[in-house]
Amino acid sequence: MTERGLLIVLSGPSGVGKGTVREAVFKDPETKFEYSISMTTRKPREGEVDGVDYYFRSREEFEKAISDGKMLEYAEYVGNYYGTPLDYVEERLNSGVDIFLEIEIQGAMQVKKRMPEGVFIFLTPPDLAELKSRLIGRGTETLDVVEARMKTAKEEIEMMASYDYAVVNDVVLDAVRKIKGIVETEHLKTERVIHRYQNMLEEI
Ligand code: 5GP
């Protein structure tokens, strides 16, 4: 029987750099896990490709996918839907492949309810001042918007306790190394390994 793959969920407050860390994880040719491409109703940014960066869909299509039970999780974030198609994740996990999700916090909490056996990794900012400068640095937001995002970020950081691991995103490649270390360690958990020895034990 194929051992089911691990579901790895990377999440964290907005502006913490989840996307950058995810890109670095998959740039590494040694990465063995697969990325689950999300569905979204936001418009593609320059250079983004449908079916590679996201599945770009209309609100109607997204809402139909929800009502058909085809989403593992979804959330509305800054006026757009984002979500993880369920079939792909199930199919790959059943084939023994580790699947990596990079999603915001509400979605991660839904996954935790449905698949508590997943590995939940929280990416944290080195400090709140750094987070603030990233939120400001993103573009043209007014101070009010930045303050509102900081408030959300604070609330989100308090969610850390619901995760299995916390990884600080100070140096991207360090964060990548830590994430890979977590996945490697998870594979060594006795509950994942023990069944391989069961047959041998029976023979003895
Ligand atoms: P962006 O629009 O910058 O690509 O992504 C915005 C936010 O949506 C990021 O925090 C990203 O982690 C999150 N996100 C991307 N895909 C998904 C998804 O499938 N589900 C959820 N819940 N969040 C997602």
Side-chain angles (χ1 to χ4, degrees), residues 10-15 18-19 22 35-40 42-43 45 48 53-54 62 71 73-78 80-85 101-108 110 138:
L10 181 71
S11 192
S14 60
K18 298 188 289 293
R22 184 248 299 168
Y35 177 56
S36 157
I37 300 167
S38 295
M39 194 187 282
T40 185
R42 90 151 159 72
K43 298 276 165 285
R45 296 188 185 122
E48 285 185 332
D53 299 286
Y54 281 104
F62 201 111
M71 305 308 287
E73 59 76 30
Y74 68 93
E76 217 166 344
Y77 177 81
V78 216
N80 285 301
Y81 282 124
Y82 291 83
T84 305
L101 310 184
E102 180 252 297
I103 61 180
E104 54 69 65
I105 286 178
Q106 300 169 56
Q110 293 169 37
R138 226 182 223 185

Side-chain angles (χ1 to χ4, degrees), residues 7-13 16-26 33 35 38 73 84 99-109 111 118-124 163 165-169 172 175-176 178-180 182-183:
L7 179 66
I8 307 142
V9 181
L10 181 71
S11 192
V16 77
K18 298 188 289 293
T20 309
V21 169
R22 184 248 299 168
E23 274 171 28
V25 164
F26 287 98
F33 33 89
Y35 177 56
S38 295
E73 59 76 30
T84 305
I99 289 293
F100 185 94
L101 310 184
E102 180 252 297
I103 61 180
E104 54 69 65
I105 286 178
Q106 300 169 56
M109 291 300 97
V111 179
V119 181
F120 294 84
I121 306 174
F122 191 86
L123 198 65
T124 67
Y163 288 72
Y165 298 94
V167 170
V168 179
N169 186 22
V172 172
V176 170
K178 287 173 191 164
I179 289 167
K180 297 189 137 195
I182 291 168
V183 176

